């Protein structure tokens, strides 16, 4: 029997666990899927926007994997701390696969970024997704918001800000977030990109959705579109199909008449590079200063020396993610990843026996959810090649007993089912469908009721 720990219960971790138990090369593999949170599914639960129910339905396939009798879910287990170091974890298992994602956002690196009202899109997503580590957002005084970025996360936060609360009530968005959005005085949301529309990273489906929101006037400046060398003839420019479709959607927006009486406006701005966050006497953001850019003929942009101030009481940056070091693992700070060779963790230039990585901590924050499947398969293939050597070592005792002896209180699958039941009951009490519990005490309490763990 080969005992493997997978750290992280998002798609990359679940796909790694699934590949391990379904392969036939090495019989008798059992897997513990560990997560710092009491709830599974990673970014599918805490990163996918609540109004994207089709993508969130992926939890059904993830659930079926975690319910496999050869797989055990252990939530509320933090790896890398005093109670459970990476070295200790390797003593408890033949192998460990780290699938811990990329939790840190990239800063803009401009003056004024520290002002109140400037946040990462990551923090905003965590808040409206009910992550127990999330802070709170008071939107009552926000009339104008600026989202910096041109990827799907930027589109997500723009859409959530602009979407009407009645359309969000049927989702599992936490009640405090829904209440804050209901109290918002928001009227305009500007999404800012330093390059042109043909270089935007959002998908056409996400873009089209912005243009179909009830009570929202979606706009784009035709002059900014025309700055893009590929705009006039996307086919001749050799653009990918997604970029051509995006330009088609934006061309339609540019030619459309404004929606009369729309309570909110979403504007996509191109060729604007943020250079400074401007604050008021209260220490809060009042505007984002941007420099107009222009194509440089080499696929990039250069500054023009012309500036524009965009009014904003809220600025959300969405310009990429970085991995976070895990104590006890090597880390490449420049790439935000763990050094590896085909998924094998590399220490001092050599593969570290029994340690592996998959997902964003392995390859960086690239790809879509499905990209994690081949990534996990490559890592598992390396692990299986090493299985003979790994099996010669005998792990120390039952991992669950060792974790409890160290003071940890793992939440097993029945505990997660109790959280689900508690969230369904919370939704019923609010006249909604299932509503997420957004705090540690609530999650642990719900899980503890099922497991009888008073320490929770």
């Amino acid at each position: 029997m080969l005992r493997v720990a997978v750290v992280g219960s998002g798609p990359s971790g679940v796909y790694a666990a699934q590949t391990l138990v379904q392969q036939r090369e090495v019989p008798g593999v059992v897997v513990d899927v560990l997560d710092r949170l009491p709830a599974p599914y990673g970014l599918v639960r805490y990163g996918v926007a609540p109004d994207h129910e089709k993508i969130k339905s992926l939890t059904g396939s993830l659930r079926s994997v975690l319910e496999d009798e050869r797989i055990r879910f252990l939530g509320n287990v933090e790896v890398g701390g005093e109670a459970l170091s990476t070295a200790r974890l390797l003593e408890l298992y033949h192998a460990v696969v780290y699938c811990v994602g990329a939790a840190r956002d990239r800063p803009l690196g401009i003056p004024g970024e520290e002002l109140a009202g400037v946040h990462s899109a990551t923090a905003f997503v965590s808040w409206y997704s009910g992550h127990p580590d999330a802070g709170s957002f008071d939107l009552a005084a926000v009339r104008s918001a600026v989202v910096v970025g041109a990827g799907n996360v930027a589109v997500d936060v723009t859409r959530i800000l602009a979407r009407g609360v009645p359309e969000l009530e049927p989702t599992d968005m936490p009640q405090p977030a829904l209440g804050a959005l209901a109290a918002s005085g928001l009227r305009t949301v500007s999404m800012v990109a330093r390059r042109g529309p043909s270089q935007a990273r959002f998908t056409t489906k996400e873009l089209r959705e912005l243009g179909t929101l009830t009570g929202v006037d979606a706009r784009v400046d035709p002059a900014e579109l025309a700055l893009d060398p590929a705009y006039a003839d996307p086919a001749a420019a050799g653009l990918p199909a997604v970029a051509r479709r995006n330009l088609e959607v934006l061309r339609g927006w540019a030619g459309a008449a404004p929606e009369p009486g729309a309570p909110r406006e979403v504007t996509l701005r191109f060729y604007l590079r943020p250079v400074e966050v401007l604050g008021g006497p209260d220490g809060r953001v009042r505007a984002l200063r941007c420099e107009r850019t222009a194509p440089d003929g080499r696929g990039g942009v250069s500054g023009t020396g012309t500036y524009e101030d965009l009014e904003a009481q809220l600025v959300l940056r969405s310009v990429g993610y970085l991995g976070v070091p895990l104590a006890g693992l090597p880390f490449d700070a420049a790439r935000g990843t763990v050094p590896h060779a085909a998924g094998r963790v590399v220490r001092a230039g050599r593969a570290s026996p029994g340690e592996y990585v998959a997902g964003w901590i392995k390859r960086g924050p690239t790809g879509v959810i499905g990209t994690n499947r081949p990534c996990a398969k490559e890592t598992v293939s390396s692990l299986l090649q090493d299985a003979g050597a790994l099996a010669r070592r005998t792990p120390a005792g039952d991992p669950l007993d060792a974790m409890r002896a160290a003071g940890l209180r793992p939440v097993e699958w029945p505990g997660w089912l109790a959280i689900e039941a508690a969230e369904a009951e919370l939704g019923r009490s609010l006249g909604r469908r299932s509503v997420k519990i957004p705090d540690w005490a609530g999650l642990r309490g719900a899980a503890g009721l099922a497991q009888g763990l008073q320490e929770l």
Side-chain angles (χ1 to χ4, degrees), residues 32-310:
D32 283 350
V33 177
L34 280 54
D35 204 293
R36 186 177 70 89
L37 298 174
Y41 310 138
L43 282 180
V44 177
R45 176 174 165 91
Y46 290 117
V48 175
D51 58 340
H52 275 182
E53 294 191 8
K54 185 175 181 180
I55 303 175
K56 289 176 72 67
S57 67
L58 178 63
T59 57
S61 61
L62 300 181
R63 171 192 288 272
S64 66
V65 175
L66 293 175
E67 288 179 334
D68 189 297
E69 62 182 9
R70 296 162 294 181
I71 296 174
R72 179 169 59 175
F73 172 71
L74 299 177
N76 201 42
V77 174
E78 183 168 7
V79 175
E82 292 184 6
L84 187 60
S85 67
T86 56
R88 176 57 175 157
L89 190 64
L90 195 55
E91 292 175 353
L92 298 173
Y93 295 89
H94 290 103
V96 180
V97 184
Y98 292 94
C99 307
V100 292
R104 182 162 52 103
D105 68 289
R106 293 181 183 271
L108 296 172
I110 61 176
E113 197 170 0
E114 75 287 348
L115 288 170
V118 181
H119 304 272
S120 69
T122 308
F124 192 68
V125 170
S126 293
W127 170 68
Y128 69 59
S129 296
H131 196 291
D133 288 341
S136 60
F137 283 77
D138 183 354
L139 305 176
V142 176
R143 302 179 304 279
S144 300
V146 175
V147 179
V148 180
N152 279 343
V153 175
V155 176
D156 276 349
V157 298
T158 297
R159 187 185 66 257
I160 292 297
L161 282 168
R163 191 183 278 284
V165 168
E167 296 174 283
L168 293 172
E169 282 181 338
T171 73
D172 63 0
M173 179 180 286
Q175 192 68 19
L178 189 68
L181 288 166
S184 167
L186 189 69
R187 293 293 174 265
T188 64
V189 186
S190 299
M191 204 169 92
V192 171
R194 64 184 178 90
R195 298 196 292 179
S198 68
Q199 297 166 308
R201 303 294 295 273
F202 44 67
T203 57
T204 308
K205 178 181 180 296
E206 297 270 352
L207 177 63
R208 285 197 181 112
E209 199 171 2
L210 280 181
T212 61
L213 298 179
T214 302
V216 176
D217 188 14
R219 297 183 180 183
V220 64
D221 186 344
E224 292 180 352
L225 298 182
L227 287 173
D228 194 320
Y231 181 66
D233 194 347
L239 291 181
V242 171
R244 294 198 303 271
R245 290 193 295 267
N246 286 345
L247 290 179
E248 181 183 346
V249 172
L250 293 171
R251 189 176 279 110
W253 288 13
E259 182 179 337
R264 290 182 177 172
E265 175 186 308
V266 167
T267 305
L268 269 63
R269 302 294 309 273
F270 297 99
Y271 293 111
L272 288 178
R273 177 168 58 200
V275 294
E276 184 179 3
V277 181
L278 306 178
D282 58 355
R284 298 190 60 84
V285 57
R286 63 175 179 82
L288 180 68
R289 177 161 294 171
C290 298
E291 181 182 18
R292 168 67 64 189
T293 62
D296 62 7
R298 301 183 301 274
V301 294
S302 56
T304 64
T306 302
Y307 298 88
E308 180 179 350
D309 293 350
L310 303 178

Side-chain angles (χ1 to χ4, degrees), residues 21 208 225 286 417 428 434:
V21 298
R208 285 197 181 112
L225 298 182
R286 63 175 179 82
L417 296 180
R428 283 192 291 271
S434 181

